[in-house]
């Protein structure tokens, strides 16, 4: 293992932050982010145990890609609190991915990565279109074993945004075509670790939905101007220069987006005030979703920022896809949705916005 024992000071958009790099014994990288320098020695750490082999295959009928990663079958599944791989290091406890006794926010290379660096294994089957090159990272919001984007607090959400901006810049510099930070929340959407965390996928190509969005923006669609014509019917909350709303074309019950009120390609274009405003809304929307049915709302959340080579008109949004349509009732993607991508939505977006506004 190796360390940069002197954390690097970064000039964040809203306030200065520090990043400390640590290389694990198996070669994977851990980046520790904080508003104060991270010090201390690493303890015993979890090392990679899975052999890696991933490949891309293209569907010629849909024009989409699939990643095949058999090694992910062995990934950690709902461990006990004592075996939490995202916990800080403790003497006598099971080794973890972040081998330090405390940290503010950590990003590390996923042990069960679907995408592999260029230097990784290159062999693939005769059916593959090529190796699945890229990078997958885990973003650990806190050293605490429980929590949410709401409960971690404003400072931690600001730090998350600053860290994500740094990851965007780093991964784009490495050649990623598209970078997707996201969070899956709740066992109902397949979460296998309770510790509050998200992920980042750095793709070697632009996935079809983002390519379609980039084309729409390039062809002249203006989401900011379109939003202004909705007369507030779909708005949920506003904070300074950012707004949260249920899009009139949403596909999930209570689907909610956060967007700057001005053209913005990604979080890297936000100023200091907008970073703080986005951080508040990142806590406010999960709070509202949880209050909706009086229980933690399972959802999928993603940062939809511009691909590396997209034009200047791409509009950045943060999108929440909740999967409860009512208390105790999941929204399943059944036959019609799966086979046609035509969604049937039980909650009209303007009604969803009205309910969320009132919480």
């Amino acid at each position: 293992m190796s360390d940069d024992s002197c954390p690097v000071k970064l000039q964040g958009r809203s306030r200065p932050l520090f990043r400390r790099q640590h290389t694990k014994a198996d070669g994977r990288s851990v980046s520790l982010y904080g508003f104060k320098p991270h010090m201390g020695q690493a303890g015993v750490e979890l090392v990679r145990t899975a052999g890696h082999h991933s490949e891309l295959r293209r569907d010629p009928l849909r024009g989409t890609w699939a990643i095949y990663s058999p090694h992910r079958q062995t990934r950690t599944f709902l461990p006990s609190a004592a075996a939490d791989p995202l916990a800080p290091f403790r003497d006598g406890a099971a080794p973890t991915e972040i081998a330090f006794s405390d940290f503010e926010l950590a990003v590390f290379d996923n042990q069960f990565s679907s995408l592999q660096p260029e230097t990784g294994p290159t062999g693939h089957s005769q059916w593959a279109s090529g190796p699945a090159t890229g990078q997958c990272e885990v973003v650990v919001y806190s050293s605490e074993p429980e929590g949410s984007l709401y409960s971690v607090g404003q400072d931690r959400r600001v730090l998350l945004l600053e860290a994500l901006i740094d990851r965007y810049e780093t991964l784009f510099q490495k050649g990623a075509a598209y970078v997707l930070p996201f969070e899956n929340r709740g066992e109902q959407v397949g979460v296998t670790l309770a510790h509050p965390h998200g992920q980042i996928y750095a793709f070697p190509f632009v996935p079809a939905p983002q390519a379609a969005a980039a084309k729409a923006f390039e062809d002249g669609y203006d989401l900011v101007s379109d939003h202004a014509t909705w007369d507030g019917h779909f708005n949920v909350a506003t904070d300074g220069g950012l707004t949260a709303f249920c899009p009139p074309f949403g596909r999930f019950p209570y689907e909610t987006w956060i967007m700057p009120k001005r053209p913005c390609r990604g979080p890297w274009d936000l100023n200091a005030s907008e970073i703080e405003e986005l951080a508040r809304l990142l806590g406010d929307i999960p709070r509202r979703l949880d209050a909706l049915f009086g229980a933690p709302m399972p959802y999928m959340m993603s940062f939809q920022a511009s691909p590396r080579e997209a034009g200047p008109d791409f509009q950045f949004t943060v999108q929440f896809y909740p999967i409860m349509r009512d208390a105790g009732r999941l929204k399943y993607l059944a036959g019609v949705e799966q086979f046609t991508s035509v969604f049937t939505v039980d909650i009209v977006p303007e009604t969803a916005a009205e309910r969320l506004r009132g919480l």
Side-chain angles (χ1 to χ4, degrees), residues 197-216:
H197 71 286
Q199 299 181 61
I200 301 173
Y201 272 39
F203 290 91
F205 58 89
V206 181
Q210 288 73 29
K215 181 68 164 56

Side-chain angles (χ1 to χ4, degrees), residues 79-135:
S80 67
D84 177 6
L86 306 185
F89 168 75
R90 295 287 184 266
D91 283 323
T96 71
E97 292 281 16
I98 307 158
F100 296 91
S101 60
D102 197 16
F103 58 88
E104 293 181 67
L105 185 143
V107 179
F108 66 87
D109 293 332
N110 194 338
Q111 178 180 180
F112 303 97
S113 177
S114 299
L115 300 168
Q116 311 301 321
E118 293 279 3
T119 56
T122 57
H124 51 274
S125 76
Q126 62 178 313
W127 314 113
S129 302
T133 55
Q135 193 159 330

Side-chain angles (χ1 to χ4, degrees), residues 107-175:
V107 179
F108 66 87
D109 293 332
N110 194 338
Q111 178 180 180
F112 303 97
S113 177
S114 299
L115 300 168
Q116 311 301 321
E118 293 279 3
T119 56
T122 57
H124 51 274
S125 76
Q126 62 178 313
W127 314 113
S129 302
T133 55
Q135 193 159 330
C136 295
E137 299 178 333
V138 179
V139 184
V140 187
Y141 301 160
S142 166
S143 60
E144 295 299 320
E146 297 179 350
S148 68
L149 278 174
Y150 170 63
S151 69
V152 296
Q154 176 69 0
D155 284 349
R156 193 57 53 88
R157 291 191 296 268
V158 170
L159 179 59
L160 170 63
L161 291 173
E162 296 285 12
L164 289 181
I165 291 170
D166 186 60
R167 300 318 301 159
Y168 270 111
E169 293 174 347
T170 299
L171 294 167
F172 279 149
Q173 288 171 4
K174 288 183 175 182

Side-chain angles (χ1 to χ4, degrees), residues 1 17 29 59 78 134 150 161 171 174 210 226 229 243 252 257 268-269 304 316 337:
M1 67 184 70
L17 72 155
S29 177
D59 182 334
L78 299 177
Y150 170 63
L161 291 173
L171 294 167
K174 288 183 175 182
Q210 288 73 29
D226 198 16
T229 69
T243 183
F252 287 82
W257 294 14
W268 56 84
D269 283 343
Q304 297 288 334
F316 165 58
E337 289 93 346

Side-chain angles (χ1 to χ4, degrees), residues 55-68 127-129 203 205-212 338 341:
E55 62 185 40
L56 289 173
R57 297 186 186 181
R58 184 178 183 275
D59 182 334
L61 299 180
R62 296 185 180 92
T64 56
W65 296 89
I67 304 171
Y68 294 85
W127 314 113
S129 302
F203 290 91
F205 58 89
V206 181
Q210 288 73 29
Q338 294 285 11
S341 292

Side-chain angles (χ1 to χ4, degrees), residues 229-303:
T229 69
W230 299 342
D231 296 326
H233 293 300
F234 301 92
N235 284 355
V236 173
T238 298
D239 194 318
L242 279 93
T243 183
F245 57 94
C246 295
F249 43 79
R251 300 176 303 167
F252 287 82
Y254 303 101
E255 179 174 333
T256 306
W257 294 14
I258 303 172
M259 181 181 72
K261 298 179 190 177
R262 63 174 180 85
C264 176
R265 298 178 73 238
W268 56 84
D269 283 343
L270 298 175
N271 60 38
S273 295
E274 291 167 333
I275 289 284
E276 297 281 346
E277 292 155 7
L278 175 55
R280 282 192 289 269
L281 287 174
L282 279 176
D284 184 47
I285 297 308
R287 178 193 65 80
R288 292 173 189 266
L289 292 173
D290 288 356
L292 194 60
F293 305 127
M297 172 68 81
Y299 63 68
M300 298 165 283
M301 179 274 288
S302 68
F303 281 61

